[in-house]
Every structure is written in C-alpha cells, then in structure tokens.
C-alpha cells in the first residue's frame, strides 16, 4: 500500500508539472503564424498575453483583417497596428468599416497599406446613410505590388488621371460609384495586367454608359439588378476575353460587346428588352454557353454559326424558349452536350398557354452527327409541346449515348397524377430512338 501511495503521489507531482509547463512557447513560429492568420487580427493581438513567444507573433502575420464593429477609433487603431507590423510581405489587408470614415482617414489607411507593399486589398464601407467616401486616387499613381483589389460599398472613385497598378490581376467592384466616365477609363487603362474583373452595380446612375476597355482581360462578370433612367448600358472591349458572365440586364438601351475571338465560355442570364445589342453575335466563338433569356426580346444573329459550340445549357422558364432552342440547334453543327433547365420546382399550368413548338425544317447537323448527352431538368411530362421536343431529339440524335429527363415535384398524396406521370414516362421510354446505344434515364420526384 505504501509503495502504491508513493507511486500515486509521484504521478500527481508530474501532472502538476505538465499543467504548469508553457507548451505554447515550444510551438514553431511558422506554425503559430499559419494558425493565427486565419483569424481576425484583433484575436491574435489579444492572445499575445498567453505566452512569451506570442507577444510579437501577430506582427509577423501576412494576412490582416479588421472589423470596425462601429468603433469610432477604428482608423487610429488600424493605423497603429499597421505601423507596428513587421512581416516582410503583407499578403492581404481586409478592412470592414461600419463606423463613419472620411476621405482623410481612408487615405491614411490605404497609404500605409501601399507603403507596406500589400498584395491584396479588400475595403468594405457600409454606411449608406452618410453618402460615399472618396477613394484616395492620388495614392494609385505608382503601385508595383498590388495584385488583387476589392472595393465594396459606399466608395466614390473620382480619378482625374490614370492609375498605375502595374501588377494588378483581379478587381472586384460592388456598389461603388464613379464620378464620371473619365474615372472609369482612368481606372481600367492603368491596369495593363488585369485578367479578372467583376462589377456589381445596384441602383447606380453615376454614369450613363459604363465602358470596359481592357486588352488583357480574360474573365468578366457583370451584374446590375436595377436600372434608373439615367443608365444607358455597357460597352465592352476585351479582345482577350475567354469567360463572360452577365446577369440582370433589363431595359437598357445597349449592351455592345466588341469582338471577343478568344471566348470559351459564357453565361448570360436575365437579359431582356435591350434596344440595341449584339450579345449572341459576340458569343459565336464560344465552346460552352449557358443562356437564360427571352427569344422574343433578343436578336439571333442572321447567318452566324456557333461553329465551336460543344455544350449548350438553355433555361426553359421563358415563353417560346423552344424557338431559341431550334435556332441554336440549327446554328451549332458540332454540339455534343445539350441541357435544358427549368429552375421552378413545381408545374405552372398557366404558363405558355397556346404556344406551339416549330421544329426545325431539316434535322440539325448536330443531332445527326455529334450530340452525345441530353439532359432535361424540370421536364413537364403533361405538356404536349415539351413531350414533342423530347421525342424529336430522341428520334433524331443518332450518336446519343445518354439522355436524362427529370420531372418536377408532385405531391405524394396525388395518386392519380402520379399514375398519369408514370404512364407518360413509360410511353416516352417506348418511343423509337435513333441511337441504339442510348441509355435513357427517367427521374421523377415527389414531396
């Protein structure tokens, strides 16, 4: 028993020694920096009291992130922290400002960040009740290190002369305002290496025509959910463009896209009522297209052929979408993948009443020689026009390998409707198919 007590007591002393040991100090500095970099900067600063070796670790963090939390000394606190920062490279600085911030304070923060050769700058200002704060354009005339710039919220770009961002590759602008069209030009012309640009504009009537002229641009995303009367549209000049995303263009006077011979993929959603446009004509070099637009309002290029198009995704929620389908099938001789998508989960018996599909006069070349995959999500089995489209493709696609049709949801309690759907799908499965090797998959959903 005495030996057991001595042994137990010895273990107890050893455990206390372990508890009192400062194991955090033994961690490699590189590991500490890596773990702390994922946190908002105020947390690593606060934890510096936990260990002697942590006191200065936060000064070496390559990524800094500050949130004002409506703290009115935010600008002074961040400035002090940046001055004390000692990392050889400031990879990123993310500032989320919810308290009032004037142009002088913003200039101070951006100026210190540029002096530290920051590579990624994210600036978010969220106090719309106070108006926009002018971005310090004078600090943008000679910068060789900034690679990514994200500006969001109540920021005004008033650029009387071109910027000079020699290394900038990515830019994201959301809710920002421009003083005039000259400011837009001075921003883009000073970014000779810009490859990726995203612009989100909401209720911004700052300039009538938003012109994007960037020879080096490869990826472009544009979103504009609301157009005041003062906004006329977009002009895009990007000869190196290979990816284009457009969403929510409704009622503008023009969307002029100049030649984009390098275009590979384009996604065009919710584009209506454009008075002067050449969107589809510009997309002819693309290999992959995703379209959600009304054929009643969009001009189809006469005599133009989508000679490189391999994959087409067409949304079917708009009236007469099958008219656009016929045009695209006729114009895409090498098409291999066709996807039809209805985003609505449930059937709408009042939609497209009285419309009739006009099938192509001759079987399109893509159906005869190239189409291999056909997918239809939201297939409305009870509609004769949609059944006619599905049957036509199955009967004429000679190289088809797989066809998948997924129906919309039906209440599991509606037994008669479920039975009718099963009968209609079985009937479709018995239709003659041009391809003997085609694998037909019919998927039905209930809730």
């Amino acid at each position: 028993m005495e030996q057991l007590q001595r042994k137990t007591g010895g273990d107890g002393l050893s455990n206390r020694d372990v508890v009192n040991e400062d194991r955090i100090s033994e961690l490699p500095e590189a590991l500490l920096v890596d773990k702390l970099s994922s946190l908002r900067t105020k947390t690593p600063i606060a934890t510096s009291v936990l260990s002697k070796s942590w006191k200065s670790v936060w000064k070496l963090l390559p990524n800094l992130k500050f949130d004002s939390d409506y703290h009115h000394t935010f600008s002074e606190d961040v400035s002090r922290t940046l001055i004390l920062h000692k990392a050889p490279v400031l990879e990123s600085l993310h500032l989320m400002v919810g308290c009032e911030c004037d142009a002088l304070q913003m200039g101070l923060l951006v100026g210190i960040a540029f002096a530290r050769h920051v590579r990624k700058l994210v600036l978010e200002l969220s106090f719309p009740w106070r108006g926009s704060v002018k971005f310090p354009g004078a600090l943008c005339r000679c910068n060789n290190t900034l690679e990514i710039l994200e500006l969001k919220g109540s920021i005004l770009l008033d650029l009387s002369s071109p910027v000079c961002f020699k290394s900038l590759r990515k830019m994201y602008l959301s809710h920002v305002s421009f003083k005039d069209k000259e400011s837009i030009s001075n921003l883009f012309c000073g970014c000779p290496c810009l490859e990726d640009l995203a612009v989100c504009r909401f209720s911004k009537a700052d300039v009538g025509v938003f012109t994007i002229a960037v020879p080096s641009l490869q990826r472009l995303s544009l979103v504009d959910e609301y157009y005041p009367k003062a906004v006329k549209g977009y002009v895009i000049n990007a000869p190196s463009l290979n990816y284009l995303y457009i969403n929510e263009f409704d009622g503008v006077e023009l969307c002029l896209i100049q030649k984009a011979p390098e275009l590979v993929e384009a996604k065009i959603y919710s584009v209506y009522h454009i008075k002067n446009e050449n969107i589809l004509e510009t997309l002819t070099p693309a290999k992959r297209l995703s379209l959600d637009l009304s054929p009643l309002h969009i001009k189809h290029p006469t005599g133009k052929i989508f000679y490189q198009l391999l994959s087409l995704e067409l949304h079917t929620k708009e009236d007469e979408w099958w008219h656009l389908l016929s045009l695209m099938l006729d114009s895409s001789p090498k098409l291999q993948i066709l996807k039809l998508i209805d985003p609505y989960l449930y059937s709408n018996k009042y939609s497209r009443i009285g419309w009739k599909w006009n099938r192509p006069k001759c079987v399109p070349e893509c159906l005869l020689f190239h189409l291999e995959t056909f997918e239809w999500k939201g297939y409305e089995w009870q509609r004769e026009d949609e059944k006619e489209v599905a049957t036509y493709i199955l009967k004429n696609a000679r190289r088809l390998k797989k066809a998948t049709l997924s129906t919309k949801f039906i209440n599991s309690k509606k037994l008669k409707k479920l039975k009718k759907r099963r009968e209609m799908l079985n009937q479709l499965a018995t239709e003659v198919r041009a391809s003997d090797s085609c694998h037909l998959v019919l998927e039905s959903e209930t809730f």
Side-chain angles (χ1 to χ4, degrees), residues 88-329:
V89 176
L90 182 54
E91 290 289 345
S92 69
L93 175 62
H94 189 162
L95 302 176
M96 296 178 288
V97 186
C99 58
E100 292 191 4
C101 175
D102 57 28
L104 180 62
Q105 292 172 322
M106 183 191 293
L108 178 62
L109 296 176
V110 173
I112 297 176
F114 284 174
R116 295 303 324 279
H117 308 294
V118 64
R119 292 181 178 176
K120 177 180 179 180
L121 176 62
V122 181
L123 183 58
E124 299 182 51
L125 271 64
S126 55
F127 40 86
W129 62 88
R130 191 181 178 278
S132 297
V133 178
K134 186 178 177 181
F135 190 79
L139 299 176
C140 305
R141 294 173 184 169
C142 186
N143 187 301
N144 298 324
T145 58
L146 189 65
E147 298 179 6
I148 302 174
L149 176 63
E150 298 184 14
L151 302 178
K152 308 174 185 179
S154 308
I155 300 173
L156 172 65
L157 290 171
D158 179 3
L159 305 174
S160 57
S161 59
V163 303
C164 183
F165 290 135
K166 295 182 179 180
S167 301
L168 194 69
R169 297 179 294 103
K170 296 182 179 181
M171 184 187 301
Y172 176 60
L173 306 175
S174 177
H175 297 193
V176 303
S177 301
F178 289 86
K179 179 185 178 182
D180 47 33
K181 62 181 181 180
E182 182 182 4
S183 296
I184 299 175
S185 176
N186 286 334
L187 175 63
F188 294 140
C189 73
C191 305
C193 298
L194 186 61
E195 298 177 352
D196 193 337
L197 173 63
V199 179
C200 298
R201 303 176 73 214
F202 301 89
S203 303
K204 296 294 183 183
D206 44 9
V207 292
V209 177
F210 196 97
T211 301
I212 299 172
V214 185
S216 60
L217 195 64
Q218 297 181 19
R219 295 177 61 87
L220 175 61
S221 300
L222 295 174
V223 178
D224 203 328
E225 289 191 348
Y226 175 71
Y227 277 96
K229 293 182 179 179
V231 178
K232 295 182 179 179
Y234 288 84
V235 174
I236 301 168
N237 183 358
S240 301
L241 197 66
N242 57 53
Y243 174 84
L244 176 64
Y245 174 86
I246 291 179
N247 195 3
E248 298 292 350
F249 278 24
D250 188 355
V252 298
E253 292 186 10
L254 78 158
C255 182
L256 181 62
I257 306 174
Q258 299 180 0
K259 292 183 178 180
E262 304 297 324
L263 190 66
V264 175
E265 182 176 6
K267 298 179 179 181
I268 313 297
Y269 301 141
S270 302
V271 176
Y272 314 115
H273 307 99
I274 295 182
K275 300 177 182 178
N276 180 15
E277 51 76 28
N278 69 334
I279 291 181
L280 287 180
E281 184 175 348
T282 308
L283 304 181
T284 53
K287 294 183 179 180
R288 298 183 296 275
L289 282 181
S290 181
L291 303 176
D292 175 15
L293 42 82
S294 173
L296 298 176
H297 303 131
I298 298 298
K299 305 172 187 176
H300 190 275
T302 304
K304 292 288 184 179
I305 300 296
F306 291 84
Y307 49 90
Q308 295 189 98
L309 189 63
L310 301 178
S311 176
L312 173 63
E313 181 180 282
L314 188 62
H315 288 237
T316 65
K317 66 181 182 181
E318 296 299 328
D319 291 340
E320 261 194 290
W321 60 266
W322 47 77
H323 176 63
L324 182 59
L325 172 64
S326 297
L327 292 173
M328 293 300 297
L329 290 178

Side-chain angles (χ1 to χ4, degrees), residues 17-124:
D17 291 340
V18 170
V19 171
N20 293 329
E21 184 179 353
D22 183 8
R23 292 195 172 186
I24 296 179
S25 299
E26 298 178 1
L27 295 175
E29 184 178 87
L31 178 61
L32 292 175
V33 171
D34 180 64
K35 296 300 182 182
L36 294 176
S37 291
S38 61
L39 305 173
R40 292 188 179 182
T41 304
K42 68 177 182 180
T43 302
I45 293 177
T47 57
S48 62
V49 299
L50 297 179
S51 170
K52 294 180 181 180
S53 64
W54 280 42
K55 287 185 177 180
S56 299
V57 169
W58 70 266
K59 299 179 182 179
L60 302 177
L61 299 180
N63 305 302
L64 301 180
K65 187 175 183 179
F66 300 92
D67 188 343
S68 69
D69 292 327
Y70 299 95
H71 186 51
H72 292 285
T73 61
F74 174 74
S75 178
E76 293 83 352
D77 294 342
V78 174
S79 299
R80 190 181 306 110
T81 302
L82 290 176
I83 292 173
L84 295 173
H85 190 252
K86 297 180 179 180
V89 176
L90 182 54
E91 290 289 345
S92 69
L93 175 62
H94 189 162
L95 302 176
M96 296 178 288
V97 186
C99 58
E100 292 191 4
C101 175
D102 57 28
L104 180 62
Q105 292 172 322
M106 183 191 293
L108 178 62
L109 296 176
V110 173
I112 297 176
F114 284 174
R116 295 303 324 279
H117 308 294
V118 64
R119 292 181 178 176
K120 177 180 179 180
L121 176 62
V122 181
L123 183 58
E124 299 182 51

